[in-house]
Amino acid sequence: MATIGLDRLFYSRITELDGIETYGPPKVLAKAIKADLSVELIEAILYADDGAAEVVKEFKSGKLSLGVDDIGTTGAEELTGAVADDNGVLISGGEDIGAPVAIGFRAQKANGRYRYFWLYRVIFGLPATNLQTKSDSISFQTPTIEGTVMRRNRLDANGRHPWKAEVTEGDAGVAPSTISEWFIEVYEPIFTPQP
């Protein structure tokens, strides 16, 4: 079903020990305007007997473009590596490298329910700035920040490296607590061991 809204944009700082991620408490990033997620796949085709015998398509990376109302100093520091000086002025340097974060948000569907997302590992670049003079009408100019979405290093209980968690409230098998706790912490996949 199509979505008609976007809100509740959160980020969670990632700390790593031996390459294994641990997620901090989610924080509000900004008011969400737009989120565009595109995915790039690795593809291999094995040809045998004059035709395609095997096709493998795996997640390689993704691109996330967020349109927000304002990133703010704290968000810019934590997402892009910029730093505020002693006077509170945000300084961006050529050597700045964004730290990886998890990004969470929700999108309203036409039926009033929401689809919830966590992207497990995103590294952002510097936000784009759009400025325009006032004329006969007022036009809002808002920042856009782009990040690269990657799979996380830590394996889930199925021995896989997840890159995204997605759930729609009200779907069969979705516990109400999964939805109510979605932004309290980054969602961790739960799997029952198979005999």
Side-chain angles (χ1 to χ4, degrees):
M1 181 177 290
T3 59
I4 60 171
L6 174 69
D7 68 357
R8 310 277 322 262
L9 181 57
F10 283 79
Y11 72 99
S12 172
R13 293 186 71 177
I14 295 174
T15 55
E16 295 184 58
L17 180 61
D18 298 326
I20 304 301
E21 300 93 346
T22 302
Y23 300 99
K27 300 176 189 177
V28 173
L29 174 57
K31 291 182 179 179
I33 296 172
K34 186 176 183 179
D36 292 321
L37 175 63
S38 60
V39 175
E40 187 175 344
L41 300 175
I42 298 171
E43 181 177 328
I45 302 173
L46 172 67
Y47 291 92
D49 286 339
D50 295 331
E54 300 283 339
V55 177
V56 175
K57 293 184 181 197
E58 292 183 0
F59 174 80
K60 178 181 178 184
S61 66
K63 291 287 180 197
L64 177 65
S65 179
L66 293 175
V68 296
D69 68 331
D70 187 20
I71 294 172
T73 301
T74 302
E77 287 181 311
E78 294 189 352
L79 269 58
T80 70
V83 294
D85 72 3
D86 294 344
N87 292 318
V89 176
L90 186 65
I91 307 297
S92 297
E95 300 79 14
D96 294 347
I97 298 174
V101 295
I103 295 291
F105 51 90
R106 72 179 186 172
Q108 186 178 18
K109 296 171 49 170
N111 65 3
R113 293 183 177 170
Y114 287 89
R115 181 174 297 141
Y116 292 77
F117 298 86
W118 272 111
L119 303 175
Y120 285 114
R121 188 177 179 89
V122 182
I123 296 181
F124 286 99
L126 297 175
T129 303
N130 302 306
L131 305 171
Q132 178 179 324
T133 190
K134 288 192 288 185
S135 59
D136 293 341
S137 62
I138 296 174
S139 177
F140 287 105
Q141 303 300 312
T142 57
T144 300
I145 187 166
E146 291 188 0
T148 300
V149 180
M150 299 172 286
R151 69 180 199 171
R152 74 178 190 185
N153 296 322
R154 183 166 40 122
L155 296 172
D156 64 18
N158 274 349
R160 300 177 67 175
H161 299 274
W163 66 274
K164 176 178 79 166
E166 178 179 346
V167 66
T168 300
E169 69 180 323
D171 279 0
V174 177
S177 61
T178 299
I179 300 302
S180 65
E181 296 171 7
W182 194 258
F183 297 115
I184 294 173
E185 62 184 11
V186 175
Y187 181 78
E188 183 62 35
I190 299 170
F191 296 103
T192 303
Q194 299 297 320

